[in-house]
Amino acid sequence: GQNIDQPTEMTATEGAIVQINCTYQTSGFNGLFWYQQHAGEAPTFLSYNVLDGLEEKGRFSSFLSRSKGYSYLLLKELQMKDSASYLCASYNTDKLIFGTGTRLQVFP
Amino acid sequence: EAEVAQSPRYKITEKSQAVAFWCDPISGHATLYWYRQILGQGPELLVQFQDESVVDDSQLPKDRFSAERLKGVDSTLKIQPAELGDSAMYLCASSLTGGSYGYTFGSGTRLTVV
């Protein structure tokens, strides 16, 4: 079966660093996506990991360990606008399977 | 920047009525997906098209939902009759090669069934 787990909610302070974890157990795994979704809006692409290791893109970084079925999204220098839901999605064969999302609230 | 167009943006309908959503993917994107997202949850795949053919509709409640993509371009998702539990965001997404470079999502249709 397909199972993707991530925390439901997290809070952090402006300027801080936060790590959002995701574990997955899926068949036909080909890669791991992270999307950002503000309330009432469509998801927007953040990152894609195929190989093990860390991918850095500005304030956002994403890590993948295929052997452990584990990924995380690291957000640095948090800003108020980073308050959103962060969706972990496993790319399986030819489609994305999404987790339930982690709602991040950034406080001043 | 190319976008996936969806309409309407919002829809309120009464229980047992029919409702339809429209999606126009990015030009040249052969793969089109319809997802349903209940508030507080992640998107759930309803149906996947490759050109005009259905590739996966295993999670589509076929007794009330139907989807078509007649010319392999735009697509329509229909619900008849609508039920209270169908209240959700319906997201359309498209991709070039079946998703290996990620999807581009439309803005979604927020459906409220009363």
Side-chain angles (χ1 to χ4, degrees):
Chain A
Q2 319 280 13
N3 192 38
I4 300 173
D5 287 318
Q6 52 182 128
T8 304
E9 291 191 6
M10 298 183 71
T11 60
T13 306
E14 195 174 15
I17 299 173
V18 70
Q19 178 174 313
I20 302 174
N21 296 323
C22 171
T23 58
Y24 63 89
Q25 291 177 309
T26 60
S27 57
F29 178 81
N30 286 322
L32 199 291
F33 283 85
W34 284 94
Y35 280 80
Q36 181 191 59
Q37 187 177 29
H38 285 98
E41 298 182 9
T44 56
F45 170 82
L46 287 179
S47 69
Y48 178 41
N49 293 68
V50 178
L51 302 176
D52 285 1
L54 188 67
E55 296 277 345
E56 297 187 77
K57 191 185 296 184
R59 293 189 300 113
F60 292 6
S61 302
S62 57
F63 171 84
L64 176 66
S65 169
R66 295 177 71 120
S67 62
K68 295 182 179 178
Y70 168 69
S71 173
Y72 68 73
L73 179 69
L74 193 69
L75 293 77
K76 303 175 186 176
E77 301 170 13
L78 280 172
Q79 302 175 9
M80 296 297 293
K81 67 178 182 179
D82 296 330
S83 292
S85 288
Y86 291 85
L87 300 167
C88 171
S90 168
Y91 179 56
N92 292 33
T93 308
D94 62 351
K95 59 179 63 71
L96 290 181
I97 309 297
F98 286 87
T100 56
T102 298
R103 185 181 171 209
L104 174 65
Q105 288 186 284
V106 180
F107 293 98
Chain B
E1 185 176 336
E3 294 183 346
V4 175
Q6 283 191 253
S7 67
R9 186 76 173 88
Y10 302 95
K11 179 70 178 179
I12 299 175
T13 191
E14 293 184 346
K15 185 175 57 174
S16 80
Q17 295 299 304
V19 64
F21 315 129
W22 176 79
C23 171
D24 191 10
I26 292 173
S27 177
H29 279 196
T31 313
L32 184 148
Y33 309 82
W34 282 101
Y35 279 82
R36 175 173 61 186
Q37 186 174 25
I38 295 170
L39 192 64
Q41 299 183 20
E44 172 194 14
L45 180 67
L46 291 176
V47 63
Q48 176 186 353
F49 287 95
Q50 181 67 31
D51 299 309
E52 67 277 7
S53 300
V54 172
V55 174
D56 185 351
D57 62 357
S58 57
Q59 301 302 310
L60 188 71
K62 298 181 187 63
D63 57 334
R64 298 186 299 108
F65 286 64
S66 64
E68 60 182 16
R69 193 184 182 197
L70 292 176
K71 297 182 179 179
V73 181
D74 58 337
S75 176
T76 302
L77 178 69
K78 296 179 182 178
I79 308 175
Q80 182 173 19
E83 297 180 353
L84 296 177
D86 296 331
S87 295
M89 174 78 87
Y90 289 83
L91 293 163
C92 178
S94 69
S95 69
L96 264 175
T97 55
S100 60
Y101 295 99
Y103 301 173
T104 301
F105 281 90
S107 298
T109 296
R110 169 69 69 185
L111 173 67
T112 302
V113 182
V114 297

